[in-house]
Amino acid sequence: MSTDFDAAFENLPDDGEALDYTQYTDTPEGFRSGFVSFVGRPNTGKSTLTNALVGHKIAITADQPETTRHPIRGLVHREDAQVIVVDTPGLHRPRTLLGERLNEVVKDTYADVDVIGLTIPADEKIGPGDKWILENVRKVAPKTPIIGIVTKLDKASKDQVGAQLLALHQLLTEENPDAVVIPVSSKEGVQLDELIDVIVDHLPEGPKFYPDDHITDEQQEKRIAELIREAALAGLKDELPHSVAVEVDEMLPSQTREGVLDVHAVLYLERPGQKRIIEGKDGRRFTRIVGTARKEIIQLLGQNVYLDLRIKVLKNWQSDPKSLGRLGF
């Protein structure tokens, strides 16, 4: 993979001192490093798998499809390898300008990684959508190794899992007779080490791109915004989840409460009627969103937090170029 070594460090925290590159390049002989990304239909367990491999919650999860909206990097550290897992939005047939932009980001990501994992749930048969995704991945990454991953073992019987493994193997071996297929359960931690072994086998030899204590290069404000959006998505149905976006305005030490961080954020919706759904009866649902998000933010930051969350309507933001740019898409 033709990754610019210096560029891999541009998102590391700046502590005011020059980085000592030698601390990351002093690696043992035969050390492997590189990038892997999971591809699949929305809601096939890609983000849950990413979190399980990294050992930390770096990507939000929800029951709704298309939860992930931008690539997130997580680190898996081993004595013999460093694996950078890139969680991406699901590749899908777009219905909005946002969907089109997300697909372009996904394709750019696949073109730059060393290994791609095709995720198929154990309890859902392989369909035209999965084949469409595989075809599109091959267009942008024709030579990148693809590993078959059957996810959600905990939701299927042994017979279902066996049939799915065979079906996925047949799909991948049409173009690569040596394709590897592996079943995993992120929820129960089944075969995760074995999956990392397979990924590492496909990575090139190279140096460490990040220090050993690094978990993700995701900016703190983005992680907080995503935790708020995750809380807002809980229990939502139909189209409303896609209309939810969150932006952190500012984070400041409280002027009145010692040791408290004030987090000011905005939850954007597309139509005035959606505000009533988010608020719920007597505002109870919104209160629950703030409480849930605050707990997650406290856990992330390790300090007490006051969350000031406001709701604003940004009309049809998913299809408006100016609004998308404002929200970072």
Side-chain angles (χ1 to χ4, degrees), residues 213-257:
D213 60 352
H214 211 60
I215 297 170
T216 179
D217 63 6
E218 183 78 349
Q219 294 178 350
Q220 202 170 71
E221 288 190 4
K222 275 193 174 182
R223 294 183 73 181
I224 290 172
E226 286 293 88
L227 291 174
I228 297 171
R229 187 164 66 90
E230 181 181 48
L233 292 179
L236 292 182
K237 298 179 181 179
D238 302 323
E239 294 300 314
L240 183 53
H242 305 296
S243 299
V244 176
V246 176
E247 183 179 41
V248 173
D249 274 346
E250 60 180 359
M251 299 191 299
L252 301 167
S254 174
Q255 298 296 312
T256 59
R257 291 158 293 189

Side-chain angles (χ1 to χ4, degrees), residues 166-232:
L166 180 60
L168 183 52
H169 186 264
Q170 290 176 338
L171 177 63
L172 294 179
T173 52
E174 289 178 5
E175 59 179 43
N176 178 15
D178 298 321
V180 178
V181 177
I182 184 168
V184 302
S185 171
S186 303
K187 182 179 179 180
E188 298 182 354
V190 176
Q191 295 254 109
L192 298 181
D193 289 338
E194 289 78 3
L195 174 57
I196 288 294
D197 287 340
V198 172
I199 292 171
V200 170
D201 287 343
H202 287 80
L203 295 180
E205 290 189 10
K208 294 181 181 180
F209 291 105
Y210 296 89
D212 290 336
D213 60 352
H214 211 60
I215 297 170
T216 179
D217 63 6
E218 183 78 349
Q219 294 178 350
Q220 202 170 71
E221 288 190 4
K222 275 193 174 182
R223 294 183 73 181
I224 290 172
E226 286 293 88
L227 291 174
I228 297 171
R229 187 164 66 90
E230 181 181 48

Side-chain angles (χ1 to χ4, degrees), residues 5 8 44 75 108 114 167 170 200 205 212 237 263:
F5 185 74
T44 58
L75 279 292
D108 288 343
D114 299 285
Q170 290 176 338
V200 170
E205 290 189 10
D212 290 336
K237 298 179 181 179
V263 177

